[in-house]
Amino acid sequence: MRYQFQSNPGEFSYKPTLFTDAIKVLISINFGIFVLQTLSGAENLFFPLFGLVPKKVWSELMIWQPFTYIFFHGGIWHVLINMFILWMFGTDLDRLWGKKRFLQFYFGTGTGAGIIMMFYYGLSSEIMLIGASGAVFGILLAYGLIYPNRTVYLYGIIPIKSKWFVMGIGLIALISSINNTSNISHMTHIAGMAVGYLILKKPVRWNDLWFAIRKKTTEYRVQQEEKKVSRQQEIERDIDFILDKINREGFESLSQEEQDRLYKGSRSLSHNKKKD
């Protein structure tokens, strides 16, 4: 299983105000989790459970992964760069929108980017995605759209308007995603920016979105249960047919294939009853 991290492809300098409420909460949680995973040495446990693995989300119904993957990072520089960019460009947006809307936008872009990447990699993929860069790049996109003429200093020296800076970052991510052989998921950066743009242009009704997710999840579980019941009924009919043959002609009349079906069917029904 190969890892897909996200990181920022450039260095820049800007002096925002002090920590705002949402930024403080996000940075504290991300660093807290990073310290926990590092000190425990349990990345091999945390990453498959809370990182984003499309196959696990789809086949094992680990539906929390498109949300939780944004809290886990693959190294100190991974989390430092993401949180630095979040602090730098998110502070003014937090002050402008308020804590609630800012967090909705942050988690909306991060989760949305994760869902897009699930389908990009394929629902049977075991590629693991971790990191907050989908959400962070959504914040970058929002900053460039809302404050297009503010000056950002590349490497602390070169002045550039934020709209050109964001466009450049997006272009770098797009080019880097072509024939990408590194462990950086540049497509997640693009997905985060795309979701951020859609949210800004058409605000999400979160209650409706949550209802839709719960509805789809419930429908999927009902379908799986119906398939299970249908399969169990089919096995029961087959066993009844074989038992009737035994009553009529004796056990010796069964072919080897029928004996195997009887044995496997009986074990399957017994296993299901124990689980129920």
Side-chain angles (χ1 to χ4, degrees), residues 128-178:
M128 182 182 298
L129 190 69
I130 56 174
S133 293
V136 168
F137 270 66
I139 295 296
L140 269 175
L141 187 280
Y143 188 92
L145 291 177
I146 294 173
Y147 303 111
N149 295 314
R150 285 196 175 177
T151 301
V152 175
Y153 289 89
L154 292 173
Y155 303 102
I157 301 174
I158 306 171
I160 182 174
K161 288 186 176 181
S162 61
K163 59 183 178 182
W164 303 122
F165 171 76
V166 171
M167 289 178 63
I169 290 293
L171 182 61
I172 290 172
L174 179 60
I175 294 173
S176 299
S177 67
I178 301 173

Side-chain angles (χ1 to χ4, degrees), residues 263-276:
Y263 174 72
K264 292 178 181 178
S266 300
R267 285 198 61 184
S268 176
L269 292 180
S270 175
H271 178 69
N272 288 333
K273 286 179 180 178
K274 286 181 180 179
K275 288 180 66 178
D276 295 340

Side-chain angles (χ1 to χ4, degrees), residues 84-197:
F84 178 69
I85 301 171
L86 174 64
W87 168 72
M88 180 176 294
F89 291 97
T91 298
D92 286 338
L93 295 176
D94 188 10
R95 291 190 181 278
L96 175 66
W97 290 340
K99 181 179 179 180
K100 181 179 179 180
R101 185 185 173 191
F102 181 87
L103 290 176
Q104 286 178 341
F105 183 84
Y106 179 86
F107 290 122
T109 53
T111 303
I115 292 173
I116 289 175
M117 296 310 296
M118 280 177 52
F119 290 96
Y120 175 78
Y121 288 127
L123 296 178
S124 61
S125 172
E126 295 187 7
I127 289 177
M128 182 182 298
L129 190 69
I130 56 174
S133 293
V136 168
F137 270 66
I139 295 296
L140 269 175
L141 187 280
Y143 188 92
L145 291 177
I146 294 173
Y147 303 111
N149 295 314
R150 285 196 175 177
T151 301
V152 175
Y153 289 89
L154 292 173
Y155 303 102
I157 301 174
I158 306 171
I160 182 174
K161 288 186 176 181
S162 61
K163 59 183 178 182
W164 303 122
F165 171 76
V166 171
M167 289 178 63
I169 290 293
L171 182 61
I172 290 172
L174 179 60
I175 294 173
S176 299
S177 67
I178 301 173
N179 296 324
N180 180 30
T181 58
S182 70
N183 64 350
I184 299 173
S185 179
H186 297 286
M187 281 302 300
T188 307
H189 304 167
I190 299 172
M193 297 179 86
V195 173
Y197 180 82

Side-chain angles (χ1 to χ4, degrees), residues 38-59:
T38 302
L39 293 180
S40 66
E43 285 91 348
N44 291 336
L45 171 65
F46 289 139
F47 288 177
L49 186 60
F50 297 109
L52 178 56
V53 183
K55 185 176 181 179
K56 289 181 178 291
V57 176
W58 182 249
S59 62

Side-chain angles (χ1 to χ4, degrees), residues 177-239:
S177 67
I178 301 173
N179 296 324
N180 180 30
T181 58
S182 70
N183 64 350
I184 299 173
S185 179
H186 297 286
M187 281 302 300
T188 307
H189 304 167
I190 299 172
M193 297 179 86
V195 173
Y197 180 82
L198 292 176
I199 292 176
L200 289 174
K201 294 301 178 181
K202 188 176 181 180
V204 177
R205 298 177 63 180
W206 294 100
N207 289 337
D208 292 346
L209 178 61
W210 179 239
F211 175 78
I213 293 174
R214 290 177 61 186
K215 181 173 179 289
K216 289 296 183 182
T217 302
T218 301
E219 289 175 350
Y220 177 79
R221 288 178 175 173
V222 170
Q223 290 173 357
Q224 294 300 112
E225 186 62 28
E226 288 177 347
K227 289 181 180 178
K228 178 182 175 182
V229 171
S230 177
R231 175 59 180 162
Q232 186 170 338
Q233 291 174 344
E234 183 181 336
I235 293 174
E236 288 176 350
R237 287 193 296 268
D238 189 45
I239 289 178

